[in-house]
Amino acid sequence: LDLLGRTPPAPREEQADILADMVSESDRMIRLVNELLSLARADAGRRLSREPLAIRSVLEESIRQARHLDRNRQITLHVAPDITTVGDQDALKQVLLALLDNALKHSAGEIHVQAHCNAAQVEIRVKDHGPGIPPDDLGHVFDRFYRGDGSSSGPGFGLGLPIAKALTEGMGGTIGIESELGGGSTVTLRFPASPPPSVDG
């Protein structure tokens, strides 16, 4: 704003660049504030709803939205039928979008999403084909504001995975990550399974 208000005024081409930078920085601050608010609500013990969730529909909706972030990337979905858990639909969607956004930013090629029921647990896996995470960084990926050497110059604030962890645990689930250098990373969510809701009549 100071640059736009200086006398004599900046050339028209420079003004256009300044405005573009302002829009970009405003968007970045909005994202940061929203992510900090999500963490603050989680820290305050915000009560998440506990309602039956059909995993397939939440996954399909999350993937549909994630595809808008990069229309040239393929996201595949393999989900067993009639998988249900109990949780907060908005929170689960926010977790999935954070994982998909992370995979889009830090990998190339297809992203694979799988869900199945295993020993009374629902497992959801998001796998990418990125460069992988160095072992020294792997233990810190859920730390707030932590960004490894490979991602320190890229977009983001180091809050996506911590928010996903806080929301997952708030729904009674767990989150973990496995990674292999050159072989990509897989994030696994686990929630207690519940029987699908009965249909009257």
Side-chain angles (χ1 to χ4, degrees):
L1 286 171
D2 287 340
L3 288 171
L4 288 176
R6 73 185 183 185
T7 302
R12 187 173 298 276
E13 296 80 7
E14 188 176 339
Q15 291 182 28
D17 290 339
I18 293 169
L19 286 170
D21 288 342
M22 288 169 58
V23 170
S24 176
E25 286 302 297
S26 296
D27 288 343
R28 191 174 72 90
M29 285 190 291
I30 290 168
R31 291 196 305 272
L32 176 59
V33 169
N34 285 335
E35 292 187 352
L36 289 171
L37 283 172
S38 293
L39 280 176
R41 292 187 187 109
D43 289 344
R46 181 188 65 161
R47 187 173 181 83
L48 299 176
S49 64
R50 306 283 292 173
E51 57 187 21
L53 296 179
I55 295 298
R56 175 182 285 276
S57 63
V58 180
L59 287 173
E60 288 176 343
E61 177 66 12
S62 301
I63 290 172
R64 184 189 67 77
Q65 292 186 17
R67 287 189 175 120
H68 293 303
L69 301 174
D70 188 343
R71 297 182 183 276
N72 296 319
R73 298 284 293 280
Q74 185 172 0
I75 304 173
T76 64
L77 174 62
H78 297 281
V79 54
D82 300 327
I83 300 179
T84 308
T85 188
V86 174
D88 186 294
Q89 180 167 316
D90 289 339
L92 179 56
K93 199 159 94 169
Q94 187 172 352
V95 170
L96 292 168
L97 285 171
L99 300 185
L100 291 167
D101 181 54
N102 217 44
L104 288 168
K105 287 176 180 172
H106 301 295
S107 73
E110 288 187 8
I111 297 167
H112 302 285
V113 181
Q114 297 178 321
H116 65 276
C117 196
N118 179 26
Q121 278 192 327
V122 172
E123 280 193 3
I124 302 171
R125 295 178 181 267
V126 178
K127 177 176 176 54
D128 66 47
H129 295 280
I133 302 170
D136 290 345
D137 292 332
L138 194 58
H140 298 283
V141 295
F142 295 111
D143 294 347
R144 298 177 184 190
F145 299 106
Y146 184 85
R147 302 179 71 199
D149 291 339
S151 61
S152 58
S153 61
F157 308 100
L159 288 172
L161 288 178
I163 290 172
K165 182 176 189 292
L167 292 175
T168 298
E169 291 177 350
M171 290 184 285
T174 63
I175 184 171
I177 186 167
E178 298 174 337
S179 189
E180 178 184 352
L181 287 178
S185 302
T186 302
V187 179
T188 302
L189 305 172
R190 292 184 175 90
F191 298 99
S194 66
S198 59
V199 178
D200 294 335

